[in-house]
Amino acid sequence: DDIRGESDYDHPTWHYIDYPFKPAGQSEEVETEQPSDQNIETAFRTNVEIVKSDATDAEKAIAVCWILHLLGDGHQPLHAVSLFSKDYPKGDQGGNKEFIRVKPDGKPLKLHRFWDGVVSGSEDTRDLHKIAIELRHNYPRQQFDPHPESVTPANFADWIQESAELARTKVYLNGQLAASPDRDNAPTLPDEYVQQAKILGEQRVTLAGYRIADILAKLFQ
């Protein structure tokens, strides 16, 4: 994310794919849009092919950085869906047009930003290392997939669909989540929503870590 807007390697559309979600009960006048052809799924395939090719070491190094990043982004549910409704006729861009508050006296926050930071907002590697140890202890691999040897890069599209389903059901609550397109009128998230979001976020980021290890092992075996 640090290279966004500041590098020839910046690809803004690579971080997500906006599968459309139109909740039940929305007007027929609300029309959805299909995802862009340049998205997180196509980007992942592109970079995997670079690593497997006879590209230079420098090109492969950049591709590996993208693979790591895309695997992480792909497990955050709001990198897989855009909600369409009367309030968001052009889509909410994965929660980037919806505003909420975590506490009644808290500052308005984009729904996407809330989910991006639900596990931790720290950039201190010592803090993150400690969190990683705790997550690996709390969510052992066997809880998710006892057969890591079956994981291949081709599974990435399935993992995106996992995120899309979680976005619809756990993030947007099947269209019942109270949020606002107006920053000043941002409602407060229920305490139980915040608590459940943290658990889901921890599970997804831990699972992403296991799958990153599995993919790298496959690519460099």
Side-chain angles (χ1 to χ4, degrees), residues 77-188:
L78 286 178
H79 281 258
V81 162
S82 185
L83 179 143
F84 290 79
S85 69
K86 63 180 182 61
D87 289 329
Y88 310 98
K90 296 297 183 180
D92 77 336
Q93 297 178 354
N96 275 304
K97 291 187 175 181
E98 299 204 40
F99 292 93
I100 52 85
R101 300 175 198 269
V102 178
K103 297 181 179 180
D105 59 349
K107 293 182 179 180
L109 187 68
K110 291 181 179 180
L111 182 64
H112 188 105
R113 180 67 187 86
F114 165 76
W115 277 90
D116 269 354
V118 72
V119 175
S120 173
S122 175
E123 295 185 2
D124 188 313
T125 55
R126 293 169 298 182
D127 292 341
L128 297 175
H129 184 256
K130 179 181 178 181
I131 291 172
I133 293 173
E134 292 175 350
L135 291 179
R136 188 167 59 180
H137 176 267
N138 294 337
Y139 303 101
R141 173 187 285 275
Q142 291 74 15
Q143 178 175 327
F144 301 108
D145 184 2
H147 304 292
E149 66 278 2
S150 66
V151 171
T152 71
N155 294 129
F156 186 72
D158 295 331
W159 302 339
I160 293 294
Q161 289 304 315
E162 288 176 358
S163 288
E165 178 63 15
L166 289 170
R168 291 187 288 264
T169 59
K170 303 300 184 181
V171 177
Y172 294 119
L173 304 181
N174 295 309
Q176 299 303 307
L177 176 68
S180 174
D182 181 1
R183 178 186 294 270
D184 293 335
N185 291 321
T188 303

Side-chain angles (χ1 to χ4, degrees), residues 43-53 63 67 153-154 215 219:
F44 184 79
R45 291 196 295 270
T46 294
N47 285 285
V48 166
E49 289 306 313
I50 290 174
V51 171
K52 294 164 62 177
S53 74
I67 288 170
I215 291 297
L219 289 176

Side-chain angles (χ1 to χ4, degrees), residues 114-115 118-119 170-171 189-204:
F114 165 76
W115 277 90
V118 72
V119 175
K170 303 300 184 181
V171 177
L189 293 173
D191 288 342
E192 59 270 24
Y193 182 95
V194 176
Q195 295 166 0
Q196 292 170 7
K198 182 172 178 56
I199 293 172
L200 178 58
E202 289 178 346
Q203 291 173 340
R204 292 300 286 172

